[in-house]
Amino acid sequence: MFKKRLLNHYQNRFNNIREQYLISLIKNDVEGFHELRVQIKQMRAYFNLLESLHCDFESKKHFRKYRILFKQAGTVRDIHVQQALVEDFEKKLNKNFIDYKQILEQKENKAVKKFMAFSRKFNINVLLRKIGIIEHILNKVSKNPSEINASKRFRSLIDQLINLRNDENYGEEILHKMRILLKETRYTLEIILECFPEVNLNKELNKALRD
């Protein structure tokens, strides 16, 4: 049953990514670009979890095309964030930054055109073939070891967060790493709860809250 859940998770996550990808292309939608990148981050957590279940699955290798899409969408998303910040500053300061907004609009148009050009060469449906590779990997694993390894993966993420918090060079760079790791920890927890409902993570969660 856990194998079917993991396969279904990939199918559903892929469908979400494809949907947001098409929304971004067709509508140049701000939330579409944002959600596309969120869904890809969740896919990265899924691939990393699969790697923890069996070493034959190389997460970085299989995530490569998703990473390319993530970076391409990120160029547009970064400009959207800057535009939102400018609008916020305008409201708070009661000022108009029309010149800078025009510059950002030009950058956005250029970035969107580049994303469109990229999309003409990028066949997102090819990524659905990964499900065959995932199924092959899952045929090599069994329930109890997979539950143990999933728990270990979650515990490893918690330990990494604690180590970062205790880093002597705690600063902006560490905070950035923590923010990325916190998201992956949350996404990993959600996947484990969905695909391994019998796994008890109370010990790991209590450790995180205590430390």
Side-chain angles (χ1 to χ4, degrees):
M1 182 63 74
F2 80 97
K3 296 180 182 181
K4 184 177 180 179
R5 292 193 195 104
L6 283 165
L7 285 170
N8 287 342
H9 185 92
Y10 182 80
Q11 178 74 65
N12 293 336
R13 185 68 60 208
F14 169 80
N15 289 341
N16 291 341
I17 288 172
R18 180 171 55 186
E19 179 183 1
Q20 297 304 324
Y21 173 66
L22 294 175
I23 288 174
S24 300
L25 281 176
I26 296 169
K27 298 183 179 180
N28 183 25
D29 183 71
V30 172
E31 284 305 313
F33 278 102
H34 170 61
E35 188 59 31
L36 172 61
R37 283 169 56 84
V38 169
Q39 292 289 335
I40 294 175
K41 289 174 187 176
Q42 292 172 333
M43 184 67 87
R44 180 172 56 195
Y46 172 80
F47 277 10
N48 288 340
L49 180 61
L50 281 182
E51 186 176 66
S52 74
L53 301 186
H54 200 289
C55 60
D56 282 357
F57 186 85
E58 299 177 53
S59 179
K60 285 186 178 180
K61 174 185 174 181
H62 295 297
F63 185 71
R64 191 172 295 133
K65 288 188 176 180
Y66 281 109
R67 185 172 182 271
I68 292 170
L69 176 58
F70 181 81
K71 291 182 71 175
Q72 290 290 332
T75 304
V76 182
R77 174 60 185 164
D78 287 346
I79 297 170
H80 288 162
V81 171
Q82 291 179 57
Q83 289 172 326
L85 287 171
V86 170
E87 289 182 5
D88 190 47
F89 283 138
E90 284 184 328
K91 292 176 182 177
K92 290 180 178 178
L93 302 175
N94 195 25
K95 289 186 177 181
N96 194 316
F97 300 101
I98 188 167
D99 291 341
Y100 186 55
K101 287 169 69 176
Q102 288 175 347
I103 292 172
L104 287 177
E105 186 176 354
Q106 291 172 0
K107 286 185 176 181
E108 180 192 15
N109 291 335
K110 185 177 179 180
V112 169
K113 286 180 181 178
K114 185 178 178 182
F115 187 75
M116 295 294 183
F118 159 78
S119 71
R120 288 191 285 272
K121 299 178 182 179
F122 184 79
N123 182 6
I124 193 168
N125 292 315
V126 169
L127 297 175
L128 188 56
R129 297 174 189 171
K130 296 285 182 187
I131 201 163
I133 297 169
I134 295 168
E135 191 169 15
H136 176 71
I137 289 296
L138 292 178
N139 285 333
K140 299 181 177 184
V141 302
S142 54
K143 186 173 183 289
N144 288 342
S146 294
E147 290 179 342
I148 292 170
N149 287 331
S151 297
K152 285 182 178 178
R153 172 60 185 165
F154 183 68
R155 191 180 309 125
S156 171
L157 291 168
I158 295 295
D159 289 341
Q160 289 177 59
L161 281 169
I162 293 170
N163 289 337
L164 282 174
R165 190 203 64 181
N166 295 332
D167 194 298
E168 293 180 356
N169 299 316
Y170 191 88
E172 187 175 336
E173 184 179 348
I174 297 298
L175 282 172
H176 178 66
K177 290 181 179 179
M178 286 187 70
R179 185 172 62 86
I180 294 172
L181 195 57
L182 274 167
K183 288 178 180 179
E184 178 164 7
T185 304
R186 172 193 158 194
Y187 299 149
T188 301
L189 174 61
E190 290 171 351
I191 298 167
I192 293 173
L193 292 176
E194 175 190 337
C195 299
F196 299 97
E198 296 176 8
V199 170
N200 188 342
L201 295 174
N202 287 336
K203 182 179 179 181
E204 285 76 13
L205 290 170
N206 286 333
K207 174 180 171 57
L209 291 172
R210 184 179 67 251
D211 295 342

